[in-house]
Amino acid sequence: MTSTLEHLLALQDADTAIAQLEHRRDVLAESSGLRAVEAQLATIESARLDAMRRRNALGGTQKDLEAQIAVITERRTAIEQRMYATTSSSGRDLQAMNEEVQHLTQRRAELEELELVAMLDQDPIDAELAVLAQRAAPLLAQAETIRSEMGEQQREIDVELARAGAARSAEAAQVPTALSDRYETLRTRLKGTGAARLIKNRCDGCHLELSSGEVERIRHQPESDVATCEQCGRILVPV
């Protein structure tokens, strides 16, 4: 039984090592500063998208004005051609066409002014986008460097996890099914620790002291018996 409990402790040690390695892997992004850099990049990206939205709106306005100007120009050109080509139109018709040409010319000038405003309003947004790109560039480089370093650390952790997993499988094969099931139930319920060492009169699982009488009983009980901590319920193995 002593040998079985030794394998159980080794199984617990392997499970603890695996949990620690998985935790190290999970917190790499936080500990490396990647999340802080990504948060800064996200803020910049949000500002960039807002600037692009405003610029696109102005660009859409500019294109719409250009289309209107093109229609007016085409209309005015057609009228002018009729005026120059006609020989039979009355003076009243010519006056009407001339007035329409003047109206179209005035309207086109108004639209061209609005188009110029839309174009000029894009300039500060372009400058804003340039500044955001300058701010993002070093952060993107920093994030790439961190990810590369994290990848190397993750590969090292994965190697250790594979090694710990193999050790766990070997130890688990030496523990009887009933004891293994009991251990797994306790481990699930007690935050990953189902078996603990009894060091002097202290449980190494909950770190509480057992009564002297209980310690004496455990240390002198038959090897076939499995002791548990009277404080936390974990399987106790005297060492």
Side-chain angles (χ1 to χ4, degrees):
M1 192 63 183
T2 301
S3 177
T4 297
L5 293 178
E6 287 173 353
H7 286 300
L8 182 65
L9 281 179
L11 175 60
Q12 176 64 77
D13 290 343
D15 281 330
T16 299
I18 289 171
Q20 291 172 343
L21 288 167
E22 289 175 340
H23 177 70
R24 274 178 54 196
R25 201 178 197 284
D26 290 341
V27 301
L28 271 180
E30 191 71 47
S31 61
S32 66
L34 178 61
R35 287 182 182 152
V37 174
E38 288 178 336
Q40 295 179 67
L41 285 170
T43 299
I44 293 173
E45 178 63 10
S46 177
R48 188 190 72 83
L49 291 174
D50 177 68
M52 285 300 300
R53 177 188 57 76
R54 289 183 278 117
R55 195 190 189 288
N56 290 338
L58 288 170
T61 298
Q62 180 184 344
K63 288 183 179 180
D64 181 59
L65 291 168
E66 288 174 351
Q68 293 182 56
I69 291 169
V71 171
I72 289 175
T73 300
E74 183 180 357
R75 171 66 177 165
R76 192 186 73 168
T77 300
I79 295 173
E80 288 175 336
Q81 289 174 347
R82 285 169 52 198
M83 289 175 63
Y84 297 143
T86 185
T87 58
S88 59
S89 297
S90 66
R92 181 176 296 178
D93 290 339
L94 288 173
Q95 183 180 356
M97 285 189 286
N98 185 58
E99 289 177 352
E100 185 172 1
V101 166
Q102 292 178 3
H103 171 73
L104 291 172
T105 300
Q106 180 181 355
R107 180 56 180 161
R108 187 176 75 170
E110 293 172 353
L111 293 175
E112 287 174 341
E113 180 67 23
L114 292 174
E115 180 189 15
L116 179 60
V117 171
M119 292 173 62
L120 292 175
D121 284 348
Q122 292 177 54
D123 291 342
I125 297 178
D126 288 337
E128 181 182 348
L129 287 168
V131 170
L132 290 171
Q134 290 176 350
R135 287 176 55 195
L139 291 171
L140 288 169
Q142 184 181 357
E144 184 61 28
T145 299
I146 293 174
R147 291 191 186 99
S148 177
E149 294 172 349
M150 279 180 55
E152 182 60 31
Q153 294 177 53
Q154 287 172 343
R155 285 188 287 274
E156 292 175 358
I157 292 174
D158 287 342
V159 170
E160 294 183 52
L161 275 170
R163 189 180 299 121
R168 185 196 192 284
S169 297
E171 297 299 340
Q174 302 299 318
V175 179
T177 301
L179 183 58
S180 177
D181 290 345
R182 182 178 175 185
Y183 162 77
E184 293 294 347
T185 299
L186 289 168
R187 190 166 75 91
T188 300
R189 181 164 59 87
L190 298 171
K191 299 181 179 180
T193 307
R197 291 170 174 81
L198 176 60
I199 302 174
K200 294 184 178 179
N201 65 337
R202 181 175 58 84
C203 168
D204 199 37
C206 63
H207 305 292
L208 297 176
E209 293 185 356
L210 281 69
S211 64
S212 299
E214 178 66 7
V215 172
E216 191 68 16
R217 185 190 68 77
I218 291 173
R219 292 193 179 279
H220 292 86
Q221 71 181 10
E223 290 187 0
S224 58
D225 291 349
V226 176
T228 56
C229 174
E230 62 183 3
Q231 307 286 349
C232 65
R234 291 179 173 89
I235 298 171
L236 272 182
V237 181
V239 295

